[in-house]
Amino acid sequence: MKKLECEKIFKEQYNTEPKSEYFAPGRVNLIGEYTDIAGGSVLPMAIQLGIWAGVSPRDDERIVIYSLEDKEEFSLAKLVKQKSQWINYVIGVFYVFSKHGYRVKQGLNIALNSNLPTASGLSSSAALEVLIGTIITAENKLEVTKRQIVQFAKETENDFIGLASGIMDQFACECGRDGKAILLNTKTLETEYVPFDLGNNDLVVMNSNKKRTLADSKYNQRVREMNEGLADLNKYINIDDVCSLTPDLFEKYKDKIKSEVSCRRIKHLVYENQRVLDANKILSRGDIDGFAQFLNLSHQSLRDDFEVSGKELDTLVEIAISGGAKGARMTGAGFGGCAIFISDKNKTQGIMNKVRKEYKEKIGLNAECYIVRASDGARKIK
Ligand code: GLA
């Protein structure tokens, strides 16, 4: 349906059919929040919601791109930051490809259409980055691997946009697989595709509709707080990153961290990393009830120690649990955005109704709920 809409939008904008079509999904992180800034493991999956693009070559060296009633354009000879926020994710990817020596000269008309809510913790920006990376690669006939697209998209986020994020989002959106979660070691990039079989349960995303942009959120502050604590620890033990610590080692050295705040940030990262490994074992055994318990523990830690949830996400999680969900937590960077829950299939609709009703009463915003499934990563579809 969105694919068809995308063709229609392209035609309206450019008076012709698109020559090619592409899709990039958003992602849900099941567990392992912020551990990717600390060399730890994460367990995300790509979802069926995402961004479609209709694309046709142009005769000049310009990119014209339409999205959500906004048409922007830029020259491939002048890849610099613009005022409008979303277009920078596009220009940035072109810039990074050229910086790495790739000849990116093919002008393009592009029309985007999305059913992925923006600025809500489902990685709409990473989806856009890897979508553009996939388009650049195919339309310029470059020999660039999926892993390189992930790296270039991350570099766009870090150096062009200015967010010190980890690699999880770009990896999940580019390398996701149907029916699988991805156990990713963000230090070594070792990957294991884990069958994500919920049996008689659903995985539901709850969108708080509290918007935030990470570029101006406290994301970079969390990175600084972690690094301060890491510097304190390194006077006593030699570690490259926080997730090199086991919980036991953390307990042994935690009083060396001068700031109480940095200590709580690091506590979250160390224990969250352990939870990813433990939760993954439980998931592989098909114990969904046990897996769901880890979601609850993760949320508590993000709320109390890492302090990135906030009243909207806490309220969503509380309502879902009180409605009978087996486990619930915020997903992604937090500060608004989305939370997830796992529930028995025959309870899902009831919980979703309760979430919509009570969230509106308590917070005054409309929550949206979507049942999601693990899906394939970015790809050319036509
Ligand atoms: C954002 C970042 C990711 C990750 C999450 C939190 O989505 O882009 O790299 O740090 O926040 O887990």
Side-chain angles (χ1 to χ4, degrees), residues 38-93:
S41 290
V42 291
L43 191 66
M45 60 184 221
I47 56 176
Q48 78 275 17
L49 306 175
I51 313 175
W52 283 258
V55 178
S56 281
R58 291 171 60 93
D59 295 336
D60 56 13
E61 292 191 3
R62 295 188 73 74
I63 302 298
V64 181
I65 180 162
Y66 174 88
S67 173
L68 293 173
E69 305 191 349
D70 183 16
K71 204 170 191 176
E72 301 274 345
E73 89 174 80
F74 58 91
S75 159
L76 288 170
K78 194 161 173 255
L79 297 171
V80 288
K81 239 182 169 173
Q82 292 186 10
K83 254 206 201 124
S84 150
Q85 190 57 28
W86 75 269
I87 192 68
N88 286 322
Y89 291 92
V90 179
I91 302 174
V93 184

Side-chain angles (χ1 to χ4, degrees), residues 112-316:
L112 302 179
N113 189 27
S114 169
N115 61 1
L116 186 64
T118 53
S120 31
L122 301 180
S123 289
S124 55
S125 56
L128 180 56
E129 288 157 357
V130 300
L131 177 68
I132 297 298
T134 307
I135 293 172
I136 295 175
T137 304
E139 297 291 329
N140 291 276
K141 302 188 176 53
L142 304 176
E143 296 213 343
V144 172
T145 63
K146 279 180 98 63
R147 291 245 172 167
Q148 277 175 299
I149 292 177
V150 172
Q151 294 288 1
F152 293 170
K154 176 177 186 281
E155 203 173 315
T156 302
E157 191 77 52
N158 295 161
D159 300 345
F160 203 80
I161 303 295
L163 185 75
S165 59
I167 200 164
M168 169 173 74
D169 300 351
Q170 290 79 10
F171 199 99
C173 296
E174 177 66 22
C175 301
R177 282 196 197 156
D178 189 31
K180 303 279 196 306
I182 312 167
L183 178 65
L184 171 70
N185 179 321
T186 63
K187 188 172 178 170
T188 60
L189 296 189
E190 210 179 303
T191 310
E192 194 189 313
Y193 285 92
V194 188
F196 187 64
D197 181 5
L198 283 178
N200 209 26
N201 298 282
D202 284 316
L203 174 65
V204 180
V205 167
M206 304 175 278
N207 185 354
S208 72
N209 269 316
K210 176 171 191 257
K211 299 278 179 201
R212 86 285 178 266
T213 65
L214 289 185
D216 58 31
S217 74
K218 298 212 166 90
Y219 192 100
N220 287 351
Q221 186 184 325
R222 291 292 176 277
V223 176
R224 283 195 297 278
E225 289 161 350
M226 171 190 74
N227 283 333
E228 277 168 33
L230 181 62
D232 292 339
L233 286 167
N234 264 322
K235 291 180 195 136
Y236 301 88
I237 38 169
N238 190 12
I239 47 170
D240 291 339
D241 40 52
V242 162
C243 287
S244 302
L245 289 176
T246 58
D248 281 353
L249 272 178
F250 168 76
E251 294 300 333
K252 189 167 166 203
Y253 287 102
K254 67 180 181 195
D255 59 347
K256 308 293 181 205
I257 303 170
K258 286 195 202 110
S259 134
E260 179 270 334
V261 169
S262 291
C263 191
R264 277 189 290 121
R265 306 299 189 240
I266 291 181
K267 176 181 168 209
H268 163 74
L269 293 167
V270 169
Y271 280 89
E272 180 80 349
N273 190 43
Q274 189 60 47
R275 276 191 286 274
V276 174
L277 305 175
D278 295 343
N280 178 55
K281 278 190 199 137
I282 288 199
L283 181 64
S284 319
R285 291 205 296 264
D287 177 1
I288 302 304
D289 293 19
F291 181 72
Q293 291 309 311
F294 281 92
L295 303 193
N296 297 334
L297 294 172
S298 171
H299 187 80
Q300 284 156 22
S301 178
L302 287 156
R303 183 190 63 202
D304 302 338
D305 288 331
F306 214 67
E307 293 182 287
V308 289
S309 66
K311 73 171 189 306
E312 293 82 5
L313 291 170
D314 290 345
T315 303
L316 286 174

